[in-house]
Amino acid sequence: MVTLFRWLVRLTVGMILLTLAFVVLAWYFAIRSLPDYDGTYVVQGISAPVEIVRTTEDVPHIFGKSDRDVFFALGLAHAQDRLFQMTVLRRAAQGRLAEIYGMGALPADDLARRLGIYRNARASLQAQDPEVTEVLRAYSDGVNAWIQQINLGARGRGAPEFFLFPDDIAYWEPADSLAILKLLAASSTVQVRREVLRARLSLAAPERGQDMVAMPGEPPMPDYASLFPGTRFTAPKRGTDTPDWTTALAGYLSPSLGASANGFAAAARRTAAGGALLANDPQFPLTAPGLWYLARLELGSGGVIGGTIPGIPAVLSGRNTRLAWGVTPAQIDDQDIFIEEVQPGDPNRYRGPQGWTAFSTRREILRVRGAEPQTITMRETENGPVIPASHLGIGTILPPGHVAVLSWTGAFGEDRSMTALIGLMQAQDRQAAATTLRNMVAPALTVTLADGNGVGQVLVGAVPQRPSAHQTGGRMPAPGWIVQNRWQGIAPAPAELTDLAPESGIVAATGAALPGMTGLGYDWADRFRLDRLRLLINSREVHSRDSFIAAQNDIVSPVARALLPLVGAELWFTEEPAAQGTPERLRQDALALLANWDGAMSEHLPEPLIYVAWMRALQDRLVRDDLGPLADDLNELFPEFIDRVFRNIDGAAVWCDIRQSAPVETCTQIARQALDAALLDLVARFGPDLASWRWGDLHRVRHVHPALGDMRGISYIVNLIQPTSGGEATIAQAGFLGTGRNPWLNVTGATYRGVYDLADPDSSVFIISTGQSGHPFSRHYDDMAELWRRGEYVVMSLDPALARAAAAGITHLQPAGD
């Protein structure tokens, strides 16, 4: 017995020692992948020595003899800090995520292949200006130089994730950067998703379904069932059409996720310091690391500083010595779904304008980690690639014997968008910027501009040319065999939408429709946020950098301010005081709190929690009996719809009547019932003391690592969790998950913020949502996250002396042979 005990002790000690040895070994290799920012590297591809000066926030300031050398160093710096993220973005664009993630990523790969993202990116390479092609090559050489350093110096494979997802790290190619830009374009638009939603609403509630999504003044649409007789509403199987958020972010970006931003500027005559001001905050899914990366480049045309996306050699939002710019995704209707009839008895042919026509067909092989390769057959019609029913909810609106195809402005092989973005960095004034931006195809953007002489905005991107007789105007899927529905090509956005000298000296964009955009789309962001932003910037005659910062971080919900007086008009102070502990008293206390609330969606207040729970319950009660299972998929609030119902515009108050009940319910009754239901749910979560509730208890951001975020144990290291203020409609937008037990998880937000002051350029401020490094063991992995949450910034200067004085490390690149 004693001998057995001794051996058990020895085995236990041995296991502990082996575990410690494994942990130490794993730690050693993980630490080896941390770059040395004070290192000197001999590399091929540069003509003279290059310096990469790292500030205390790990922002690279790059100084070289030529522009080619500078872009080379940018590629190397991106790879030093974000190599895994770059390779995952490239895989997402190529449709090769399943090679590292396994079967779970197969649907994303299938969709990327069918959209032809990488194929069209390769075709677009020859369309770029020669100077831009050289930039792409220099950037690729820089990325590859760091990959070579990893291989030569045994630097832990460049990132710890590569140990868990082993695969060869392919060298970077110029087309890879174009592919990531196309992936960004596909991710920014929501047009397919909205077309499917309109069709589903038309099928579920033919008489009034469009009340949910119709914009003010929008012309009526035909009934979807009249376009395709025999089509019936089909509820999707749970989990097939709506992947969980982490799955959707497997590649950091995914088609049809959607993106937004605020961009606003004031001319010098409207500022206290006598120089133009510009603010920009692109809003994307919140990941760890975040999508954006800060950088400064010293080019032949002067210094450029601002936000980049690793993999793309351009400052997408920032400033140079004379010009500042910011980008806002513009929801131009740049995608259309066409429904094609398949020939009965022959699945290889479809109905065209001239009769039955053969599909263009090709096959591709998808490699899958841990499984056999999958072969997919991709078919195309004259209108575009066939999208299977399993993608984007298409199966819910597809008539029997038909397939859906997608036309998209980004699916063209002569896309000069990269030329536009590189030219924007080097433009010295608004007119030069507007000229180069005419090359933009996808994504469609509203670009805010500011220079020493004024401010302006320009709408850029390709616009489909639809015939005036189009049956749905592009708002719903249309029969693809009817000539009047087909695109007649694409064209640049109308030049008259460029305003480089606004009379007021103020411009603002949030993704909502601006004057003159009628007919370019019907899925703009809601008008409330734009109205709030205009109120903030027009209510002051003179602005400062601090007033722009305050506007950018504004957390007052204009939707709450608009809807609460309307929905609660007949509920406030209309009942006798109720006894403590009763549902009536709970309702009265909640209404009393909301009556004195200014709409600030502060994480420390209970009122935002009550408001969002009430509006969610209210919308569900309004539509549940009419829409049935479709109500489960309405993951966002439709404020225009609620406003229309409670104002009874065009008889919309009929939504308040519950069809299954004999009495005719009023909107006041529905509002009261919804509030009671919301309060009961909140009491079950947080107890009966309303004053102790906090918005931040539910509204928490989880910056999720797309590769490691769901791994037990590791997730605590790589994911960042923070309570946040704001909401879907605030200027400091903090979008909701929309599903599950906690639909108010914050999953989207301003992954980058910048405020550029041309009166004192070196006082311009910047921030990203996590940190510069993508390495979980780096102190720069999350060192900006708390500043970002509090609405604070870091200052970045174009003064080389200041950059060197505050340097935390200087990387020296020496050309091979010197």
Side-chain angles (χ1 to χ4, degrees):
M1 191 69 180
V2 173
T3 302
L4 178 61
F5 178 75
R6 287 175 179 171
W7 276 105
L8 287 175
V9 170
R10 290 170 185 169
L11 287 172
T12 301
V13 172
M15 291 296 294
I16 292 173
L17 291 175
L18 284 173
T19 301
L20 286 174
F22 175 79
V23 170
V24 169
L25 191 65
W27 177 265
Y28 170 76
F29 282 114
I31 292 301
R32 286 286 295 166
S33 59
L34 282 170
D36 178 9
Y37 296 134
D38 280 313
T40 297
Y41 304 100
V42 178
V43 296
Q44 292 183 341
I46 56 175
S47 61
V50 178
E51 281 186 329
I52 306 176
V53 179
R54 299 276 183 165
T55 65
T56 53
E57 295 86 12
D58 191 28
V59 178
H61 290 242
I62 301 174
F63 303 95
K65 182 178 180 180
S66 67
D67 285 1
R68 190 190 195 285
D69 291 351
V70 170
F71 283 109
F72 177 100
L74 176 63
L76 188 142
H78 275 167
Q80 278 185 312
D81 288 322
R82 302 282 188 90
L83 183 59
F84 182 75
Q85 181 186 35
M86 291 170 66
T87 59
V88 168
L89 282 167
R90 175 174 63 182
R91 284 184 175 278
Q94 293 173 329
R96 296 179 56 212
L97 287 173
E99 293 179 13
I100 59 172
Y101 290 148
M103 289 296 293
L106 196 60
D109 287 352
D110 182 273
L111 182 58
R113 297 285 183 101
R114 293 180 190 278
L115 292 178
I117 291 176
Y118 197 76
R119 184 161 46 89
N120 289 316
R122 279 190 171 279
S124 296
L125 184 59
Q126 301 303 318
Q128 311 306 317
D129 286 352
E131 298 83 2
V132 174
T133 303
E134 185 61 21
V135 166
L136 292 169
R137 288 175 179 155
Y139 180 83
S140 298
D141 290 344
V143 176
N144 295 333
W146 183 248
I147 294 175
Q148 290 172 350
Q149 290 296 321
I150 292 170
N151 295 333
L152 291 172
R155 302 179 187 278
R157 291 183 58 82
E161 294 94 335
F162 286 117
F163 289 105
L164 297 174
F165 299 97
D167 202 0
D168 293 335
I169 305 173
Y171 284 120
W172 202 262
E173 297 182 14
D176 296 343
S177 296
L178 297 177
I180 292 176
L181 181 59
K182 280 195 174 290
L183 177 65
L184 181 72
S187 304
S188 299
T189 183
V190 297
Q191 298 306 314
V192 167
R193 196 172 68 200
R194 301 294 284 192
E195 279 197 34
V196 171
L197 176 60
R198 279 196 177 92
R200 294 180 71 187
L201 287 168
S202 178
L203 290 171
E207 296 179 1
R208 305 219 53 111
Q210 298 309 311
D211 285 345
M212 293 285 298
V213 291
M215 301 290 288
E218 181 179 337
M221 284 186 298
D223 178 33
Y224 185 72
S226 68
L227 298 174
F228 305 101
T231 306
R232 296 183 179 182
F233 172 75
T234 304
K237 296 179 181 178
R238 293 290 89 198
T240 57
D241 291 319
T242 53
D244 65 73
W245 190 248
T246 303
T247 302
L249 294 182
Y252 287 89
L253 293 170
S254 180
S256 202
L257 277 181
S260 184
N262 300 304
F264 51 103
R269 60 187 172 86
R270 296 290 301 269
T271 67
L277 285 163
L278 189 147
N280 188 219
D281 56 351
Q283 296 150 359
F284 286 88
L286 294 166
T287 59
L291 183 64
W292 289 73
Y293 181 92
L294 303 176
R296 176 268 176 87
L297 313 176
E298 188 65 33
L299 301 175
S301 57
V304 183
I305 196 166
T308 68
I309 292 177
I312 299 176
V315 174
L316 300 174
S317 176
R319 70 173 186 88
N320 57 33
T321 54
R322 296 184 179 181
L323 177 74
W325 62 93
V327 294
T328 301
Q331 290 299 334
I332 287 175
D333 189 0
D334 57 1
Q335 294 180 327
D336 274 355
I337 298 175
F338 291 97
I339 305 299
E340 308 279 19
E341 183 181 358
V342 179
Q343 182 175 353
D346 188 352
N348 298 314
R349 297 169 68 83
Y350 69 97
R351 182 181 176 186
Q354 309 302 323
W356 300 111
T357 307
F359 287 102
S360 298
T361 304
R362 71 179 190 278
R363 292 186 177 183
E364 293 193 13
I365 297 175
L366 302 180
R367 291 197 301 145
V368 183
R369 183 183 182 186
E372 292 296 318
Q374 304 287 314
T375 300
I376 59 173
T377 299
M378 292 181 287
R379 299 182 294 172
E380 290 192 18
T381 73
E382 294 175 2
N383 289 316
V386 173
I387 307 298
S390 58
H391 289 303
L392 305 173
I394 288 173
T396 62
I397 52 97
L398 198 60
H402 293 69
V403 295
V405 305
L406 176 65
S407 289
W408 173 43
T409 57
F412 288 87
E414 296 185 0
D415 185 340
R416 289 170 48 81
S417 297
M418 187 66 77
T419 291
L421 295 174
I422 299 296
L424 175 61
M425 294 169 52
Q426 300 172 332
Q428 299 298 300
D429 56 46
R430 289 166 292 150
Q431 186 58 59
T435 299
T436 189
L437 284 169
R438 297 291 289 173
N439 291 306
M440 200 74 196
V441 174
L445 300 169
T446 300
V447 182
T448 306
L449 303 167
D451 60 22
N453 297 316
V455 298
Q457 279 183 334
V458 52
L459 179 70
V460 297
V463 178
Q465 302 300 291
R466 299 181 183 88
S468 58
H470 193 292
Q471 288 179 289
T472 70
R475 290 171 288 170
M476 283 198 306
W481 58 88
I482 297 179
V483 175
Q484 68 193 42
N485 293 332
R486 295 187 163 203
W487 288 8
Q488 298 174 336
I490 59 175
E496 55 268 23
L497 294 179
T498 296
D499 185 0
L500 298 181
E503 185 177 344
S504 65
I506 294 285
V507 290
T510 63
L514 297 172
M517 289 185 176
T518 303
L520 295 182
Y522 297 92
D523 294 302
W524 313 104
D526 67 69
R527 58 181 170 85
F528 296 97
R529 193 154 55 95
L530 180 60
D531 291 344
R532 173 69 182 173
L533 181 57
R534 284 174 170 167
L535 174 67
L536 291 177
I537 59 179
N538 289 327
S539 60
R540 297 174 62 110
E541 186 61 33
V542 176
H543 280 279
S544 65
R545 186 195 70 172
D546 290 342
S547 72
F548 263 44
I549 289 174
Q552 194 173 65
N553 288 280
D554 184 72
I555 58 170
V556 172
S557 171
V559 170
R561 285 188 166 191
L563 293 186
L564 283 175
L566 191 62
V567 173
E570 297 184 29
L571 298 180
W572 269 296
F573 314 116
T574 57
E575 298 177 344
E576 294 297 323
Q580 287 284 357
T582 63
E584 290 77 13
R585 181 56 180 267
L586 187 67
R587 183 199 314 138
Q588 290 172 0
D589 290 345
L591 288 168
L593 284 173
L594 293 175
N596 296 305
W597 179 47
D598 65 354
M601 303 287 287
S602 169
E603 64 182 272
H604 305 293
L605 296 178
E607 290 90 344
L609 192 57
I610 300 169
Y611 155 70
V612 296
W614 185 9
M615 292 302 106
R616 182 176 176 85
L618 174 62
Q619 180 171 283
D620 187 73
R621 282 180 177 264
L622 289 174
V623 305
R624 174 68 60 177
D625 63 323
D626 289 278
L627 302 185
L630 177 55
D632 294 328
D633 294 334
L634 300 179
N635 298 329
E636 60 183 299
L637 186 70
F638 294 86
E640 297 273 10
F641 166 68
I642 296 176
D643 181 87
R644 185 179 290 115
V645 169
F646 277 79
R647 294 184 188 278
N648 195 23
I649 296 174
D650 296 329
V654 70
W655 285 90
C656 293
D657 180 34
I658 306 299
R659 297 191 179 203
Q660 285 87 342
S661 66
V664 177
E665 289 82 5
T666 66
C667 290
T668 300
Q669 288 175 294
I670 296 299
R672 182 186 298 111
Q673 292 170 4
L675 178 57
D676 289 346
L679 291 173
L680 286 174
D681 178 62
L682 294 176
V683 167
R685 293 173 188 252
F686 304 112
D689 184 7
L690 274 67
S692 68
W693 296 353
R694 295 292 180 266
W695 174 224
D697 290 341
L698 282 182
H699 191 247
R700 299 167 66 85
V701 61
R702 180 174 179 252
H703 305 265
V704 62
H705 190 294
L708 309 178
D710 277 349
M711 290 188 177
R712 186 170 298 177
I714 296 179
S715 64
Y716 292 101
I717 300 173
V718 298
N719 293 339
L720 308 177
I721 300 176
Q722 301 170 301
T724 50
S725 298
E728 287 183 307
T730 55
I731 294 174
Q733 194 176 41
F736 304 155
L737 176 62
T739 62
R741 175 166 169 73
N742 182 7
W744 302 291
L745 285 173
N746 181 192
V747 295
T748 61
T751 49
Y752 165 78
R753 296 190 190 110
V755 179
Y756 321 128
D757 185 351
L758 296 187
D760 182 12
D762 288 341
S763 70
S764 300
V765 292
F766 312 78
I767 198 70
I768 56 176
S769 54
T770 53
Q772 287 284 92
S773 176
H775 197 300
F777 295 142
S778 170
R779 66 187 180 92
H780 298 298
Y781 183 71
D782 60 355
D783 58 340
M784 295 191 198
E786 186 60 28
L787 295 175
W788 172 85
R789 187 183 77 85
R790 297 198 303 259
E792 299 177 11
Y793 300 76
V794 298
V795 177
M796 297 201 304
S797 169
L798 282 176
D799 186 339
L802 288 177
R804 289 189 171 91
I810 300 179
T811 302
H812 295 274
L813 305 182
Q814 297 289 342
D818 284 7

